[in-house]
């Protein structure tokens, strides 16, 4: 038996086609409240979500590209992003 904490704990992920929407909605709300940057934790978790979703590198690329584009759009530039827990190779190779 394999224990997968995401479904067990009731945590899901949006479909890949909605990742851009996820960040756009979240960041636009934060920006409307006057927030001028974000710290995004646990970015390496994308490497564990790749199974059945195109693999870890593909999943990470989708999430990193959406996250960085949304930060650029809503907070002005990627320098307004603090990346945390992002040291999996898939993350490091996709950072801007």
């Amino acid at each position: 038996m394999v224990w997968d904490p995401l479904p067990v704990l009731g945590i899901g992920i949006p479909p890949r086609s909605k990742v851009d929407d996820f960040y756009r909605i979240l960041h636009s709300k934060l920006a409307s409240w006057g927030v001028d940057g974000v710290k995004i934790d646990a970015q390496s978790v994308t490497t564990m979500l790749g199974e059945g979703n195109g693999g870890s590198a593909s999943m990470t690329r989708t999430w990193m590209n959406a996250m960085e584009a949304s930060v650029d759009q809503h907070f002005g530039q990627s320098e307004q992003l603090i990346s945390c827990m992002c040291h999996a190779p898939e993350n490091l190779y996709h950072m801007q």
Side-chain angles (χ1 to χ4, degrees):
M1 182 172 152
V2 176
W3 184 72
D4 187 348
L6 294 176
V8 170
L9 298 174
I11 300 169
I13 59 170
R16 290 178 79 151
S17 62
K18 299 287 185 182
V19 173
D20 290 319
D21 292 338
F22 169 78
Y23 280 118
R24 182 182 47 77
I25 292 166
L26 175 63
H27 291 160
S28 67
K29 180 56 83 174
L30 291 172
S32 75
W33 292 336
V35 174
D36 61 2
V38 290
K39 175 183 179 245
I40 301 178
D41 251 333
Q43 292 178 30
S44 291
V45 77
T46 59
T47 63
M48 296 183 287
L49 304 174
E51 187 175 341
N53 290 302
S56 62
S58 177
M59 178 64 93
T60 298
R61 185 179 318 109
T62 297
W63 281 83
M64 294 288 293
N65 288 345
M67 175 186 66
E68 290 174 345
S70 181
V71 168
D72 286 345
Q73 178 184 356
H74 295 97
F75 305 111
Q77 53 193 345
S78 288
E79 287 80 22
Q80 300 303 101
L81 168 64
I82 299 172
S83 297
C84 191
M85 299 174 67
C86 60
H87 292 98
E90 292 90 342
N91 292 86
L92 296 174
Y93 288 127
H94 291 98
M95 289 185 173
Q96 291 182 10

